[in-house]
Amino acid sequence: MTDEKEILRIYRQHKRWYAQVREEHEQHRKFYSDDAWNSRSNKSALMVTGEGVTQSRPEARITKTQVNLVRPYITSFIASLYYRGVRWQTAADERVGSLDKETLNKKVGAISGELNRKFAQEDTEDSAERGFTMGLLYRGGCAFKVGVDQENDLVKRAPEDRLWIEVLPPYECVWDRKTRNKRKPKYMGHLYVMSHAAAMQEFGVSEDAATIALTDVVEHGFETNVPDAEQDDTYVRILELTAFEDVHTAGGAKAQGEFTVWLVEDGDRQERVTELKRTATPYSLPDGTPLSNLVPFISEPVPDHPLDSYAPVKSIVELNMEYNVASSMLAEAFRRDANRIILYLKDKGLDEEAIAQIVRGEDLEMVGIGASTLEGLFRHLELPPVSNTLLEYLRHLQDSVDRVQLIADFARGKAGDYLSATEVANLVNYSETTIGRIRKRMDATLGRVAQLYLHALRSELKGGIDIDVDGETVTLNKKDLELRWRVQVVDTASTPAAAAQKMADLAAAQGNLIDLATLIEQGGVPGKMAEEILTLLVGLMDLPPSMLPASLKAAVEPPPEAEVQPLSPVIEAPPPEALPPGAGLQPGDIANSPEGQAIMAQAELEQQGML
C-alpha cells in the first residue's frame, strides 16, 4: 500500500531528477525560441570570445548573431509526417468474437470514425503535435493523458465529449526513469498545479492549505519563491499516482492496482503530503489488468533504461551553439572592415576642426589643411583579412549540421553521394528520414492512446453512440468496446520527394489496378483474391476509399428496378346466344327501340314545359 512515506520518496526522487536535466531543458527551449544567446552555455562562450576579440575596448562585446537550426528541424518533420493530421485504421483481433463479417466491418468502420473524429478536434490534434515537439526537444520523455470532465448539471455533454486527451511536459511526468522493466513499471504519476478553488471543489482540499505561485518550471525548477516575478499565489500542487502493484479493497471486493491523489506542500524547506483520494485505477482491461491514465512517449530511449529518453535535438544544439559563435566572429570582422581607420601625423597642419570635418565624411567636403604637402600626412590602416581557418570552420559546421539533421540528402533536393536508385525508392515513402524510427515510436504511442481512449469511453458509456459509416448509422455500445481491436495510425507523411514518388507509383500501377478490377468483375476465386489485393493496395498507396472493391461495385451496379404489378386478367364476354333474353342488348339498341324513343320524346316535352 502506497503511504505518505512512499509518496515523499517518489516526490523527492522526481525533484532530484529534474534538477539534473533542467539546465539542458532550458538551453534547448531557448535555442528553439530564438533566444540562444541567453542560455548559460552561450553566456560563458560570449565572455571568453568577446573580450578576446575586443581587448582594446573592454566595454564592448562581440556582435551577437544567431541562426535557428532547432525549430526548422522540428517543425519540418512535424509538417511532413503529420501534414494531414492523425488518421486511424482499425482491424479486428483474431479473438474478437463471433460477430458475422458484415457486422464486424460496420463496427470496424465505426471505431475508426470515432477515433478520427476525436483526433481531428483542435485540442487533441494540438496535443499530438506538441507531444512530438517535446519528445524531440526535451530529455526524459513526455506523456499523453486521457481524462474525463465531471458531469455538470448546468452543461449537458455526451460521454465522448467529456473525454479529453492532453500532453504532459517531462517535469510533470512522474515515473522511475531508472527502471529496467518498461512492461511492468511500479508506478506512474502526474505532478501538476491547479487553482486552490478548483482543488477545494474537486478533491476537498482544505481552505487553509499552503498555496504557491504559478512559475515557469523549466526556468526556475520547483522553486515557488521566485524574485521579481508576478506572485499569483492561489495555486496548489497535486500528485496523481497509479500504483500497479498495490491491491485496492472496497466493500470486500479486491482489484489489482490503486489510484491515489495527494496534496503536495513544499515550502520553507518542509515537505508534506496529504491524501485526498484513494480508489481503484480509473481504467482497466476487461480481464481486470489495471491501466494508468498516462501513456509515455519515449522518443529516443536510453538502451538500458526504456522509460528514460535522450533529446534528439541535443546534437543540433551543440552545433548551433558553435555556429552562432563562429558567425558572430565573422559579423564582427565584417563590421571591423567597414569601419575604416585613418592614421595621421600630429602637429602637421591638422587641427581639431579639420579632423572633425574628415570624420564626418560628407560628400564634397572642403577641408583646409595648414601644410605645404599632403605626402605622408594620411595613411589608411590596413587590417589583415579574416583567417581561412574561420571560414573552413564555418563550412565544417554546416557539413556537420547536414549530417546530424537526420534527413536524407535527396529529401532536401540534394543528390547523395552513395544513394542508388533502389535505395532512393525504398527510402522515399516512409523511411526517407532516419528520424523515421522516432515516427514509428510516436505512431505506436498514439495507438496506445487510442486504445486507452476506447477503454475510457467504455467506462463512461451508458447507452450507445451513433457513428456515420459510409452514409449508414452504426451504433457502438459497451459490449462492442470490450472486444479486441487493433488500431494503428495511417501513414500521412508527405515530402516533395515522397509526393513525386507516389505519383510515379500510381502511374506505374494503373494498368495492374484495372486488371484487378477486371478479375473482380469476373468473380470466382481469382475475383475474391483480386478484391483482397486491391483492398491492400488502397491502404498501402493511400488511395481514396472510393477505389475499394465494395465502393466500385456500388458505383457501377444499376439501381434495382421497381417491381411491375401484373395486370388483372381480361374477362371475355360470352357469345350472344349464351345470354338470356335482353341481356345481350347494347345501349344503342335500347335507344333505337320504340319504347326508348317514346321515353326520350316525353322527356323533351317536360323540359320545354319547365322552360
Side-chain angles (χ1 to χ4, degrees):
M1 178 179 177
T2 304
D3 55 10
E4 295 180 3
K5 183 178 179 181
E6 178 68 9
I7 293 297
L8 277 175
R9 185 193 67 79
I10 292 173
Y11 174 66
R12 290 166 181 164
Q13 179 181 349
H14 181 70
K15 282 181 61 178
R16 286 194 300 269
W17 168 78
Y18 196 68
Q20 296 171 358
V21 302
R22 186 184 66 82
E23 185 173 332
E24 180 182 309
H25 285 192
E26 183 184 9
Q27 179 195 44
H28 290 185
R29 191 175 70 173
K30 285 185 179 297
F31 272 82
Y32 180 81
S33 58
D34 290 311
D35 198 18
W37 280 108
N38 286 326
S39 66
R40 287 183 172 84
S41 54
N42 261 6
K43 285 180 180 178
S44 62
L46 175 63
M47 292 173 61
V48 175
T49 309
E51 294 188 3
V53 172
T54 59
Q55 290 181 358
S56 61
R57 293 181 292 171
E59 72 281 359
R61 289 293 184 268
I62 187 174
T63 302
K64 295 180 290 186
T65 63
Q66 62 179 352
V67 178
N68 193 331
L69 302 176
V70 173
R71 188 163 68 236
Y73 160 77
I74 292 176
T75 55
S76 63
F77 280 122
I78 295 176
S80 62
L81 295 177
Y82 296 104
Y83 86 112
R84 287 186 299 176
V86 179
R87 306 292 294 173
W88 294 95
Q89 187 176 35
T90 306
D93 191 276
E94 288 78 4
R95 296 171 290 176
V96 73
S98 57
L99 295 176
D100 61 273
K101 186 174 182 180
E102 182 179 357
T103 303
L104 193 61
N105 290 335
K106 291 180 180 180
K107 299 296 184 181
V108 164
I111 290 178
S112 296
E114 172 60 20
L115 291 177
N116 288 333
R117 182 197 68 84
K118 189 64 180 178
F119 280 80
Q121 293 178 351
E122 182 178 357
D123 53 349
T124 306
E125 187 174 1
D126 176 69
S127 294
E129 182 175 321
R130 288 189 295 114
F132 199 87
T133 300
M134 286 193 287
L136 295 174
L137 193 63
Y138 294 139
R139 175 183 171 186
C142 57
F144 290 91
K145 182 178 182 180
V146 177
V148 59
D149 292 329
Q150 295 179 350
E151 293 188 79
N152 192 329
D153 295 333
L154 301 178
V155 180
K156 302 293 185 181
R157 291 190 297 168
E160 63 272 21
D161 295 326
R162 290 188 291 108
L163 287 168
W164 45 261
I165 301 172
E166 66 177 19
V167 64
L168 312 181
Y171 53 82
E172 291 188 2
C173 301
V174 181
W175 57 70
D176 187 5
R177 288 173 170 81
K178 299 299 182 184
T179 184
R180 297 287 302 276
N181 192 344
K182 179 182 178 180
R183 189 173 60 89
K184 288 186 177 182
K186 185 178 180 181
Y187 61 86
M188 196 161 288
H190 180 201
L191 180 67
Y192 61 97
V193 295
M194 69 186 306
S195 69
H196 188 196
M200 291 172 59
Q201 180 179 0
E202 184 171 351
F203 298 119
V205 172
S206 171
E207 188 175 356
D208 301 328
T211 57
I212 60 175
L214 187 62
T215 60
D216 187 345
V217 180
V218 173
E219 187 172 354
H220 303 292
F222 288 100
E223 293 292 332
T224 56
N225 298 321
V226 180
D228 301 327
E230 292 187 13
Q231 296 294 322
D232 183 11
D233 54 350
T234 59
Y235 293 86
V236 293
R237 182 167 282 126
I238 301 294
L239 173 61
E240 298 178 1
L241 194 81
T242 300
F244 298 100
E245 297 178 355
D246 290 355
V247 176
H248 180 73
T249 303
K254 294 183 178 182
Q256 185 67 43
E258 195 167 46
F259 177 78
T260 54
V261 181
W262 303 81
L263 171 68
V264 180
E265 297 175 281
D266 185 2
D268 299 329
R269 297 185 179 182
Q270 292 183 354
E271 299 168 343
R272 184 176 63 181
V273 296
T274 304
E275 183 179 324
L276 302 176
K277 183 179 180 180
R278 185 178 294 269
T279 182
T281 56
Y283 312 123
S284 61
L285 296 177
D287 61 2
T289 302
L291 295 175
S292 170
N293 55 357
L294 304 182
V295 178
F297 172 45
I298 309 299
S299 61
E300 194 71 31
V302 178
D304 50 345
H305 297 144
L307 287 180
D308 195 7
S309 174
Y310 297 116
V313 302
K314 185 175 178 62
S315 55
I316 298 290
V317 169
E318 298 292 337
L319 290 170
N320 205 163
M321 187 191 316
E322 284 294 295
Y323 196 93
N324 287 345
V325 172
S327 59
S328 297
M329 295 177 68
L330 193 61
E332 184 72 12
F334 161 75
R335 284 164 173 77
R336 181 197 63 191
D337 292 346
N339 296 327
R340 293 175 295 175
I341 300 175
I342 299 177
L343 302 179
Y344 69 96
L345 294 175
K346 292 182 178 181
D347 302 327
K348 292 296 183 180
L350 282 175
D351 55 17
E352 292 184 358
E353 183 180 355
I355 294 174
Q357 286 179 291
I358 294 173
V359 171
R360 188 166 58 241
E362 295 181 1
D363 289 343
L364 298 178
E365 183 78 29
M366 301 295 293
V367 181
I369 298 175
S372 59
T373 178
L374 296 179
E375 187 68 27
L377 189 63
F378 299 99
R379 190 178 75 182
H380 287 283
L381 177 62
E382 295 183 4
L383 298 175
V386 175
S387 171
N388 288 333
T389 304
L390 176 58
L391 301 178
E392 287 292 332
Y393 188 50
L394 277 172
R395 283 192 290 268
H396 168 72
L397 288 174
Q398 185 59 58
D399 292 341
S400 300
V401 169
D402 291 342
R403 284 196 297 270
V404 301
Q405 273 187 331
L406 308 180
I407 185 167
D409 290 336
F410 67 87
R412 297 195 303 267
K414 177 182 176 182
D417 295 332
Y418 304 105
L419 280 177
S420 66
T422 303
E423 289 171 330
V424 170
N426 291 334
L427 288 171
V428 72
N429 193 22
Y430 183 82
S431 303
E432 65 178 308
T433 63
T434 53
I435 202 173
R437 65 182 186 279
I438 301 178
R439 159 68 191 270
K440 290 180 180 179
R441 294 190 188 106
M442 183 60 167
D443 286 356
T445 300
L446 290 177
R448 292 193 293 272
V449 173
Q451 291 280 11
L452 182 58
Y453 172 76
L454 294 178
H455 289 302
L457 183 60
R458 175 178 61 86
S459 300
E460 297 296 326
L461 204 59
K462 294 181 174 61
I465 55 175
D466 294 332
I467 309 294
D468 180 78
V469 180
D470 296 332
E472 181 180 354
T473 300
V474 180
T475 302
L476 283 179
N477 52 42
K478 252 184 191 303
K479 186 176 180 181
D480 297 329
L481 296 174
E482 290 176 357
L483 302 177
R484 299 173 181 266
W485 305 102
R486 296 196 305 268
V487 293
Q488 63 183 16
V489 178
V490 177
D491 185 8
T492 59
S494 178
T495 60
Q501 184 65 33
K502 285 183 178 180
M503 291 297 295
D505 292 342
L506 180 59
Q510 184 175 357
N512 293 330
L513 293 174
I514 295 176
D515 292 341
L516 289 173
T518 303
L519 288 174
I520 293 173
E521 190 175 12
Q522 294 176 359
V525 175
K528 180 62 178 175
M529 183 178 295
E531 284 188 24
E532 298 296 330
I533 295 174
L534 182 57
T535 303
L536 179 63
L537 289 177
V538 168
L540 291 177
M541 299 181 66
D542 196 20
L543 300 177
S546 58
M547 292 188 67
L548 289 169
S551 301
L552 294 176
K553 288 181 179 180
V556 299
E557 289 179 355
E561 296 181 358
E563 185 178 355
V564 180
Q565 298 293 333
L567 297 177
S568 301
V570 178
I571 302 175
E572 295 183 359
E577 58 271 13
L579 294 175
L585 297 176
Q586 300 297 321
D589 297 337
I590 297 176
N592 294 326
S593 64
E595 293 83 359
Q597 291 180 358
I599 294 173
M600 292 176 64
Q602 181 66 27
E604 290 178 359
L605 291 175
E606 291 179 356
Q607 185 175 8
Q608 293 175 0
M610 292 176 64
L611 296 175

